[in-house]
Amino acid sequence: MFEPKIVCFLCKWCTSAGADLAGTSRLKYRPNGVNIKFMCSSRVDPEHILWAFHEGADGVLIGGCHPGDCHYEDGNYKTQARVSLLNRLLDDLGIDTRRLRLDWISAAEGSKFANVMNEFTEELRSLGPIKLAAREMAK
Amino acid sequence: MKRIGVFVCHCGINIAMTVDVKRVAEEAMNMPGVAYAQDYIYMCSEPGQALVREKIKEEELDAVIIAACSPNLHESTFRAAAEEAGLNPWQCEIANIREQCSWVHTNREKATSKAIRIVDTLVQKTILNESLEPIPVSITKKALVIGGGIAGIQAALDIADSGYKIILVEKESSIGGHMAQLSETFPTLDCSQCILTPKMVAAGKHPNIELMTYSEIEEVSGYVGNFNVKIKRKASFVDWSKCNGCGLCMEKCPAKVPSLFDRELATHGAIYVPFPQAVPNKPVIDKDNCIYFKSGKCRLCEKVCEIGAINFEQEDLIVEEEIGAIIVATGFETLPVPNLVEYGAGDVPDVIDGLAFERLLSASGPTVGEVRRPSDGMVPKEIVFVQCAGSRDPERYRPYCSKICCMYTTKHALLYKHRVHDGQPYIFYIDIRTGGKGYEEFYHNAELDEGIIYLRGKVAKIFRDGDKTVVWGTDTLTGRNIEIAADLVVLATAMIPKDSTAELVKKLRIQTGPNGFLSEAHPKLRPVESINSGFYIAGAAQGPKDIPETVAQASAAACKVISLFSRDHLEQDPAIAWVDEDLCGNCRICISVCPYDAREFDEEKGIVIVNEALCEGCGSCVAACACGATQQRNLSDSQIRSMVTASLGGE
Amino acid sequence: MSENMGLAPPKSPPIRLTREVVNSGFKQRVNELSGQHMDACYQCGNCSSGCPLAQEMDILPNGIIRLVQLGQRDEVINSETLWICASCFQCTVRCPKGIDIQAVMDALRQMALDEGVDHFGPDQIDPEQAALVPQPGLVGVYRKLST
Amino acid sequence: MAKIAYYPGCALNERSSHLDRSARDATVRLGFELDELDTWTCCGAVPPVSKERVMNLIAPSRILKNVRDSGRDILITICDFCYNTLKRTNFSIKTDDITRKRVNAFLADDTPEREYLEKDDTLWEDYAGEVRVIHLMEYLRDELGYEKITENLKRPLKGLKIAPYYGCVMLRPQNEIQLDDPENPSIIEDFITALDAQPVKYPYRTECCGSYLSVSSPDASTRLCYRILTSARNSGADAIVVSCPLCFYNLDSRQKAITEAYSDFKPLPIFYFTQLLSVALGVEYGRQGFEKHYVDVTPVLDKIDISTGKGDE
């Protein structure tokens, strides 16, 4: 079966803590993603996302705090704006926008984190691998 | 190139069961820059730390990576160990292969492969890590305690006694909280007011404590050691500096308002103090129920107040305070009876909750301590107590155990028997939980001496039939259903966080768990701290707990604050933004995205610089910088790119 | 152990628990057929408390679930309770642990009926009633109580 | 006049025809017509017995698929058993992919056009729960609005105290039915209020009457009905209103056995909600089928001068 590779950019305060909670709760989810922890989701530069696709990622997950809960006041709104801009570019590159997923997952939502990882893995499986040309263009 | 050491922890079997730790260490040896790699059963133990220190010296390592549990747990442990062996603490990184790998996956092959990629990701970061020095910041040695129940009072007194200043903010007009409502307390049956009132008075008089009752938190900004807090002092329409507490205004007020303190079993005027022992003992006018505010006529209180303390023109006041640490002790409330539809949805008058029963038992309560039911004042002869009313019910109400109900229900039945000798109490329970010093003995004696009938089963339905209140339950021990036509039913309703907690945590930006209680930084090892530094938690706001536990946690939180205040200065994480002066194009977009005003235009250099004291390291400006001039220390764009590549298993 | 065939069986013999009994697959089968998780039950007895037909039953609903947890297939399958339950869903809507007890009862009825014995037949119906009772009553009783 | 697809079910077609007739009479006066399906079968009266057996789902699914294929998206039922069975079947099909596939496989296998399907499977469209199954009372509350009833009252039932009886399957299981709060419902009370009568609350309104046990364990049902009827009477009710044929049968006919078993018992008339609606909207007295009742309803209707035919249009 096709095993998609996922890069997860997680904010330290909410989503990474949520991922830790999934662990302490011993929830089980698909092992397709590796987490990279940032202080805030607003540290994610669209270039990092394109780089991930170029380097072989089949999907990119960005996890931040729920609207209004950002540790840095409004970092998550900036992230949302940047992601929606990038989505237009992904279309042009021929990368399905479903491959870039932005979720608000709080420190209390271990089960949401697990569900998102499972759902996203399933979705990427159904989308299949990214075409090579698109990867090259992502550079 | 740097010489990096990788240490892979088994965590007993916690990691080793799903991750092949030996293979992770072997693979690490092949990663560029890695000069040494080893696995060990417990890295956080002293021998584990000693191993790290020893290898740093022996192998002349420039940096270390510990592949173990979440950095929230042991990052500081290992950074201290690295520092002891001569490394800069920022040359130590933690790879989380437990919470985010071994505990969440089952396939050993895949988990091992993921663990290897996690380690490689951190290796790539570490290669480019700089040695950093923490940024010193000053501390305002004044604490804020939010919530004036027993938790807040205890914490405030402990901090105040150590010589630091405290502001104690309470939403109601008096401190005291729920403990002031209780009659007697388990398992010793001390009178609650007798043990609480001296502490309330002490808090009111302490030179280091400033009471701000009838006040709410409006806004909190800043960070540990340097918070700026805006507090709203609600208009009480009484000038407390003039009021001498004579009480004449309250006597004359013609309005009748249900007393929340007495659980609506009694009324008070629109100008009132919640209870006679209030601290401060000053009245407030309830604007929503005051006849003058509603109709424009009355002002009787004003007429009778000879010293002119009534002031209908008073307005809410915002005060600003500089604060170093904040203790959140906002307490609990109980699940409202109307939520329990199968128990009469609040429409059956003789179905009350435990706090209302406390008021009926209290010598200072509406019945002066006589047990009389609300509908007609009759002394109930058949009384049913229902435990787990909304607790341990994940499907419809609250999933957790409210912890104190087993004990207080037994206390209720026992105190009822002491007052109504020929009455019969019945207690429906699912399990009796008596964990606590002297608790099991208390329960044992009640069972033995008081003639209480314990029925093991959950009540399905309660309804009114004539002047009786019918309870349908079961006794799972005999396998027979039970029907009791009771005179009074007391529900041990679930303990829930105060409804204002959700709004408050948004202002404080601290975390709550799935049930709305405050989250602690670690469930076992950091139980009185929030994840966010500078915030401490105490009492039932963190989860159901009884008085001794609440007091213990409050003192512990106070101790944490005192320990913080005992330092000369704090150290701030230096992983903040910096600017490559040659690259800055002065577009100033960074200024617009910074939430802390930490990006400022430097006129001399003609570029935008970073104010290191204000930067919190979110990285938003780094992502926004169009020319790559702004970078984050130890999380540069080139570090992120190589981390991404490594996380995908690439070269 | 020898069986004293000559004696009347004891009124309340001990339930002899062994790994084989507990893991006989009975509980798993009930889980499969009902789509419920028997081990979620913490024996609060709420299902029995509110059951309108509890007084007609030989084993209360919570007792049935307990016996399933303990692998006591024969006692459950032979219980009158299965044929007294009116499928009114009161227990299902009130279960604090979200167990659809109605589905459990249906699963147990099916297992009992699979042994081939009907618990109600056309000969047992009162002819006067048969002429009057609305069809859902007749269809319901046959569907629930016979194969 | 708007025509809404209507599934009467076996009981309304025959033994409970007065429920059917009064519903048709009343709805016409409210501006819509119950349009009986051209062909229909028995729904099976009880929904899925276990996860492994889909047979009980086939008959209700076929009914629902036919409704969808005829281009309609709402189906009205009145009998609580039909309502429960059709609505829960729909729920299983909508929420469980495996069930949906199995049921559709059966339906496709069974259809008269099967040979065409074998050649071209695009002719077949799986039934996926598209039809909304609605109880007539739900339609009155949500689609029409109870105020529309009040506006059209010709004979307000002012002065009558009516006890609603919900029984079991009209409200439960709640996660699938979602009609009202199963512990504290108000849909029938509000209906009674809309007729200008006074609803009486009593604790047994959601307690089961024994359902089909009436056939297999009549004594149990007698005991249950006695408690329900006595509780309603003690709360001051003149009568009980129901919507389900089996509730009606148990609460009405069983009063014979109750009177024999309990010396303190006094009979209480039972109405279908549609009968009260028909009377209140001024349908000619006598069309409601009151002669089919075991307990005479005329003394209650006499209280407000209805049985004399006053107010007929």
Side-chain angles (χ1 to χ4, degrees):
Chain A
M1 192 187 302
F2 169 57
E3 288 292 354
K5 289 181 184 176
I6 304 172
V7 178
C8 312
F9 296 115
L10 310 183
C11 96
K12 163 184 164 158
W13 303 96
C14 289
T15 312
S16 185
D20 276 357
L21 180 63
T24 43
S25 315
R26 308 297 199 278
L27 303 174
K28 302 292 176 231
Y29 56 84
R30 305 289 313 152
N32 297 52
V34 169
N35 302 338
I36 297 179
K37 193 170 75 173
F38 289 176
M39 294 296 272
C40 177
S41 61
S42 68
R43 173 69 185 90
V44 181
D45 190 323
E47 280 183 22
H48 302 147
I49 297 163
L50 292 173
W51 176 256
F53 285 125
H54 175 259
E55 290 294 286
D58 301 292
V60 174
L61 171 74
I62 301 172
C65 308
H66 283 270
D69 288 355
C70 175
H71 187 76
Y72 303 100
E73 296 187 8
D74 56 359
N76 46 4
Y77 291 108
K78 291 167 196 157
T79 311
Q80 191 170 35
R82 287 167 188 165
V83 164
S84 48
L85 270 177
L86 182 63
N87 272 336
R88 292 198 215 158
L89 184 60
L90 287 183
D91 263 341
D92 293 346
L93 295 174
I95 295 176
D96 194 307
T97 53
R98 282 174 290 179
R99 294 182 185 275
L100 172 57
R101 184 165 171 155
L102 174 63
D103 267 292
W104 310 133
I105 302 172
S106 82
E109 293 176 325
S111 59
K112 181 169 179 188
F113 183 82
N115 291 342
V116 165
M117 288 310 296
N118 284 334
E119 271 173 36
F120 196 30
T121 305
E122 280 311 312
E123 175 146 47
L124 292 169
R125 268 189 187 149
S126 67
L127 290 172
I130 296 186
K131 295 207 170 55
L132 199 64
R135 283 208 196 284
E136 282 311 310
M137 278 172 74
K139 201 170 179 181
Chain B
M1 187 177 260
K2 263 185 183 168
R3 290 176 59 79
I4 299 172
V6 175
F7 298 85
V8 186
C9 183
H10 300 205
C11 194
I13 56 163
N14 280 304
I15 294 171
M17 197 160 65
T18 21
V19 170
D20 183 345
V21 283
K22 295 225 179 294
R23 220 182 96 209
V24 175
E26 281 162 27
E27 292 281 339
M29 274 309 283
N30 300 329
M31 295 173 192
V34 175
Y36 181 81
Q38 189 186 338
D39 61 288
Y40 186 74
I41 183 156
Y42 286 115
M43 284 313 305
C44 61
S45 67
E46 180 44 37
Q49 294 182 46
L51 178 75
V52 175
R53 293 194 299 263
E54 192 185 296
K55 292 296 170 191
I56 290 173
K57 289 179 184 149
E58 244 177 62
E59 303 286 335
E60 297 179 340
L61 302 176
D62 303 307
V64 290
I65 290 165
I66 318 291
C69 53
S70 166
N72 282 342
L73 293 172
H74 282 307
E75 186 176 71
S76 52
T77 313
F78 290 115
R79 285 192 167 173
E83 191 170 22
E84 222 177 298
L87 284 191
N88 179 285
W90 278 267
Q91 299 295 355
C92 170
E93 292 283 352
I94 309 294
N96 182 349
I97 59 167
R98 193 178 76 173
E99 283 83 350
Q100 300 187 0
C101 188
S102 76
W103 274 352
V104 287
H105 306 313
T106 43
N107 181 314
R108 191 171 166 84
E109 183 54 38
K110 287 179 176 162
T112 304
S113 145
K114 175 169 164 179
I116 293 165
R117 277 178 286 139
I118 292 173
V119 171
D120 195 14
T121 304
L122 271 298
V123 169
Q124 295 303 323
K125 174 175 195 295
T126 309
I127 289 172
L128 294 172
N129 266 0
E130 299 171 58
S131 291
L132 302 175
E133 292 303 324
I135 301 165
V137 281
S138 61
I139 319 176
T140 307
K141 296 188 180 180
K142 183 177 191 181
L144 169 71
V145 176
I146 306 172
I150 181 61
I153 293 171
Q154 182 67 39
L157 285 171
D158 285 343
I159 297 170
D161 284 344
S162 70
Y164 298 112
K165 295 279 182 195
I166 295 283
I167 294 176
L168 177 54
V169 170
E170 165 59 47
K171 214 165 89 175
E172 304 299 330
S173 66
S174 168
I175 58 171
H178 283 306
M179 191 175 164
Q181 290 176 286
L182 308 183
S183 58
E184 283 145 68
T185 54
F186 64 80
T188 47
L189 298 184
D190 309 76
C191 149
S192 181
Q193 296 233 334
C194 310
I195 54 177
L196 175 68
T197 330
K199 280 192 183 286
M200 290 166 60
V201 173
K205 285 190 173 157
H206 204 294
N208 284 337
I209 299 179
E210 185 184 348
L211 280 192
M212 287 197 191
T213 63
Y214 217 50
S215 300
E216 284 171 33
I217 301 301
E218 188 73 9
E219 196 184 309
V220 174
S221 56
Y223 48 92
V224 56
N226 295 280
F227 292 108
N228 184 283
V229 181
K230 288 186 184 151
I231 302 164
K232 179 167 85 181
R233 310 209 63 173
K234 293 181 283 185
S236 63
F237 308 106
V238 177
D239 185 340
W240 285 2
S241 61
K242 286 186 188 163
C243 171
N244 60 6
C246 74
L248 201 58
C249 51
M250 299 190 277
E251 244 169 68
K252 297 292 179 196
C253 177
K256 290 263 178 286
V257 185
S259 159
L260 296 180
F261 183 82
D262 277 332
R263 302 299 276 184
E264 306 194 347
L265 296 170
T267 59
H268 52 53
I271 183 164
Y272 71 102
V273 292
F275 54 103
Q277 302 84 345
V279 171
N281 202 335
K282 311 279 176 162
V284 295
I285 293 178
D286 170 358
K287 198 176 174 182
D288 295 335
N289 288 298
C290 168
I291 294 167
Y292 168 68
F293 277 114
K294 284 201 294 193
S295 69
K297 283 186 196 123
C298 185
R299 298 179 84 127
L300 204 56
C301 48
E302 193 181 43
K303 282 168 208 141
V304 298
C305 183
E306 290 179 359
I307 47 180
I310 308 290
N311 175 8
F312 287 104
E313 311 303 316
Q314 206 178 65
E315 283 176 5
D316 292 352
L317 188 69
I318 303 285
V319 292
E320 275 191 57
E321 294 284 344
E322 301 294 324
I323 294 293
I326 299 176
I327 295 182
V328 189
T330 46
F332 72 97
E333 53 193 293
T334 56
L335 191 72
V337 178
N339 289 21
L340 297 157
V341 278
E342 70 276 34
Y343 293 168
D347 294 334
V348 182
D350 294 327
V351 176
I352 61 174
D353 67 7
L355 276 172
F357 196 65
E358 292 285 346
R359 296 312 299 148
L360 290 182
L361 291 170
S362 171
S364 61
T367 56
V368 210
E370 281 184 49
V371 180
R372 293 186 174 279
R373 67 181 190 185
S375 65
D376 58 4
M378 169 210 176
V379 175
K381 292 297 163 79
E382 307 268 1
I383 183 165
V384 175
F385 296 90
V386 179
Q387 291 194 189
C388 299
S391 303
R392 302 184 70 196
D393 192 332
E395 197 59 24
R396 291 172 308 161
Y397 303 107
R398 302 290 164 143
Y400 50 84
C401 166
S402 290
K403 199 169 184 179
I404 60 168
C405 328
C406 286
M407 287 304 293
Y408 81 62
T409 300
T410 290
K411 179 196 76 178
H412 282 170
L414 182 147
L415 293 175
Y416 164 76
K417 275 297 275 185
H418 290 183
R419 286 160 175 74
V420 186
H421 302 297
D422 60 343
Q424 180 58 53
Y426 307 89
I427 296 180
F428 280 99
Y429 70 98
I430 303 177
D431 295 297
I432 292 284
R433 294 174 170 180
T434 60
K437 200 172 178 182
Y439 290 9
E440 177 64 17
E441 295 88 328
F442 180 76
Y443 164 58
H444 173 76
N445 291 337
E447 241 186 339
L448 215 60
D449 303 335
E450 306 291 350
I452 302 163
I453 301 284
Y454 282 86
L455 295 160
R456 195 199 170 283
K458 190 170 166 74
V459 168
K461 181 163 170 165
I462 299 172
F463 57 88
R464 192 162 166 82
D465 186 9
D467 72 336
K468 293 283 186 182
T469 302
V470 180
V471 179
W472 282 356
T474 197
D475 179 46
T476 60
L477 303 178
T478 56
R480 302 280 296 279
N481 272 8
I482 305 281
E483 180 172 308
I484 300 172
D487 299 316
L488 181 65
V489 177
V490 181
L491 305 178
T493 44
M495 225 175 177
I496 58 176
K498 262 244 172 327
D499 63 354
S500 50
T501 307
E503 199 191 328
L504 181 68
V505 297
K506 270 200 186 313
K507 289 177 185 163
L508 304 180
R509 291 201 190 83
I510 58 174
Q511 311 280 345
T512 51
N515 297 309
F517 290 107
L518 302 175
S519 297
E520 59 278 10
H522 185 275
K524 293 172 199 72
L525 302 178
R526 294 172 67 194
V528 302
E529 294 157 78
S530 163
I531 298 169
N532 305 24
S533 35
F535 293 95
Y536 303 88
I537 56 187
Q542 182 242 357
K545 53 177 64 69
D546 58 21
I547 296 169
E549 267 188 274
T550 296
V551 171
Q553 201 186 21
S555 288
C559 182
K560 286 279 171 191
V561 171
I562 296 165
S563 133
L564 178 80
F565 286 177
S566 70
R567 290 188 240 168
D568 297 332
H569 61 79
L570 297 174
E571 291 180 341
Q572 195 185 313
D573 190 343
I576 56 173
W578 65 282
V579 180
D580 184 332
E581 299 185 359
D582 295 338
L583 294 180
C584 176
N586 193 22
C587 72
R588 304 192 190 193
I589 192 161
C590 49
I591 297 179
S592 69
V593 298
C594 180
Y596 301 103
D597 294 333
R599 300 302 308 264
E600 48 200 45
F601 178 64
D602 183 323
E603 296 202 3
E604 231 169 81
K605 294 179 179 158
I607 57 161
V608 183
I609 56 162
V610 176
N611 181 332
E612 294 198 346
L614 294 178
C615 177
E616 290 273 298
C618 69
S620 182
C621 61
V622 188
C625 181
C627 40
T630 302
Q631 285 300 332
Q632 185 163 13
R633 296 206 190 275
N634 287 358
L635 197 62
S636 64
D637 286 333
S638 46
Q639 273 175 306
I640 293 171
R641 273 196 297 274
S642 51
M643 285 167 83
V644 167
T645 307
S647 76
L648 292 161
E651 286 305 306
Chain C
M1 208 196 322
S2 70
E3 293 290 333
N4 287 314
M5 298 303 287
L7 292 179
K11 291 271 188 248
S12 188
I15 296 174
R16 292 210 165 81
L17 292 184
T18 63
R19 277 170 300 157
E20 288 75 19
V21 169
V22 175
N23 301 306
S24 64
F26 175 52
K27 183 175 73 185
Q28 280 68 25
R29 185 69 186 137
V30 176
N31 283 351
E32 277 166 25
L33 281 176
S34 64
Q36 306 301 305
H37 203 316
M38 290 299 96
D39 289 324
C41 173
Y42 64 171
Q43 286 295 317
C44 72
N46 202 7
C47 46
S48 304
S49 294
C51 176
L53 286 142
Q55 55 176 325
E56 318 286 337
M57 294 172 171
D58 55 348
I59 303 172
L60 293 187
N62 72 290
I64 293 283
I65 294 181
R66 185 69 189 142
L67 289 167
V68 175
Q69 287 175 336
L70 299 180
Q72 301 301 299
R73 183 181 193 281
D74 292 350
E75 196 168 345
V76 171
I77 293 300
N78 293 320
S79 166
E80 273 305 301
T81 295
L82 307 187
W83 319 110
I84 290 297
C85 163
S87 306
C88 79
F89 298 97
Q90 189 66 274
C91 46
T92 292
V93 297
R94 286 198 184 131
C95 176
K97 301 304 281 297
I99 301 172
D100 183 349
I101 296 149
Q102 201 46 62
V104 176
M105 286 293 172
D106 275 335
L108 292 170
R109 274 191 282 260
Q110 182 187 317
M111 289 168 86
L113 291 172
D114 283 353
E115 308 216 317
V117 184
D118 288 352
H119 286 262
F120 192 74
D123 51 324
Q124 285 160 275
I125 195 166
D126 166 17
E128 191 191 335
Q129 225 189 358
L132 288 173
V133 67
Q135 287 86 338
L138 293 171
V139 179
V141 80
Y142 287 130
R143 281 221 150 155
K144 293 271 182 175
L145 272 56
S146 61
T147 48
Chain D
M1 191 175 292
K3 287 184 169 189
I4 319 285
Y6 166 52
Y7 173 78
C10 315
L12 276 75
N13 197 44
E14 195 223 350
R15 294 185 180 178
S16 311
S17 55
H18 46 323
L19 172 54
D20 174 73
R21 176 146 70 153
S22 51
R24 290 177 194 257
D25 285 349
T27 50
V28 167
R29 300 217 163 202
L30 292 169
F32 65 99
E33 191 180 326
L34 295 176
D35 182 19
E36 183 172 339
L37 302 178
D38 293 339
T39 55
W40 55 265
T41 58
C42 169
C43 66
V46 283
V49 166
S50 84
K51 295 278 166 202
E52 288 185 1
R53 307 222 164 154
V54 292
M55 284 318 291
N56 287 15
L57 298 175
I58 304 301
S61 303
R62 190 182 293 115
I63 296 165
L64 292 166
K65 182 175 183 297
N66 288 341
V67 174
R68 190 220 37 204
D69 289 350
S70 72
R72 287 176 292 187
D73 55 2
I74 287 185
L75 178 65
I76 286 186
T77 66
I78 301 178
C79 164
D80 290 358
F81 273 85
C82 302
Y83 174 60
N84 187 284
T85 305
L86 290 166
K87 192 154 183 179
R88 295 185 65 212
T89 300
N90 218 25
F91 184 88
S92 306
I93 288 176
K94 253 201 279 201
T95 54
D96 180 1
D97 286 351
I98 297 170
T99 302
R100 192 187 68 235
K101 284 178 191 146
R102 290 181 68 195
V103 165
N104 277 287
F106 270 105
L107 292 182
D109 204 36
D110 202 25
T111 175
E113 294 87 26
R114 192 172 134 201
E115 56 182 296
Y116 302 107
L117 295 180
E118 276 168 6
K119 289 174 195 128
D120 179 5
D121 62 6
T122 60
L123 293 173
W124 178 265
E125 193 190 341
D126 268 7
Y127 178 68
E130 293 93 337
V131 173
R132 269 174 68 207
V133 179
I134 312 193
H135 195 283
L136 176 59
M137 198 177 293
E138 191 179 6
Y139 188 88
L140 296 177
R141 180 189 67 180
D142 300 339
E143 309 290 328
L144 182 81
Y146 279 161
E147 65 283 355
K148 192 81 184 282
I149 295 178
T150 311
E151 285 163 19
N152 286 289
L153 285 185
K154 295 291 183 295
R155 275 190 294 232
L157 305 184
K158 202 174 187 65
L160 284 192
K161 289 180 172 176
I162 313 272
Y165 178 69
Y166 288 91
C168 49
V169 293
M170 183 182 190
L171 299 173
R172 306 192 287 253
Q174 189 216 7
N175 60 335
E176 298 180 32
I177 300 294
Q178 302 269 345
L179 178 67
D180 207 337
D181 185 329
E183 298 285 359
N184 195 14
S186 63
I187 182 168
I188 309 188
E189 277 85 348
D190 296 343
F191 172 78
I192 294 167
T193 308
L195 302 181
D196 209 10
Q198 184 188 340
V200 173
K201 268 202 182 177
Y202 65 114
Y204 285 81
R205 66 200 166 120
T206 58
E207 296 295 326
C208 177
C209 65
S211 185
Y212 53 76
L213 285 190
S214 188
V215 179
S216 55
S217 309
D219 289 352
S221 184
T222 301
R223 282 193 273 273
L224 295 175
C225 292
Y226 167 72
R227 294 201 300 179
I228 295 162
L229 291 161
T230 309
S231 172
R233 158 145 338 265
N234 289 348
S235 304
D238 298 317
I240 285 181
V241 64
V242 301
S243 74
C244 169
L246 202 47
C247 296
F248 180 88
Y249 172 77
N250 284 344
L251 290 176
D252 184 56
S253 305
R254 201 147 283 293
Q255 292 195 31
K256 186 179 174 202
I258 295 172
T259 313
E260 285 164 14
Y262 297 91
S263 57
D264 64 336
F265 181 73
K266 292 194 192 72
L268 193 64
I270 313 296
F271 289 103
Y272 281 120
F273 75 105
T274 53
Q275 291 177 310
L276 290 181
L277 186 63
S278 156
V279 164
L281 293 174
V283 174
E284 180 191 341
Y285 186 81
R287 283 185 61 83
Q288 290 80 10
F290 293 132
E291 70 285 356
K292 287 194 161 199
H293 294 218
Y294 173 76
V295 180
D296 187 7
V297 300
T298 44
V300 170
L301 295 178
D302 279 346
K303 278 179 84 170
I304 52 168
D305 277 350
I306 284 176
S307 56
T308 57
K310 192 179 139 193
D312 279 356
E313 293 210 331

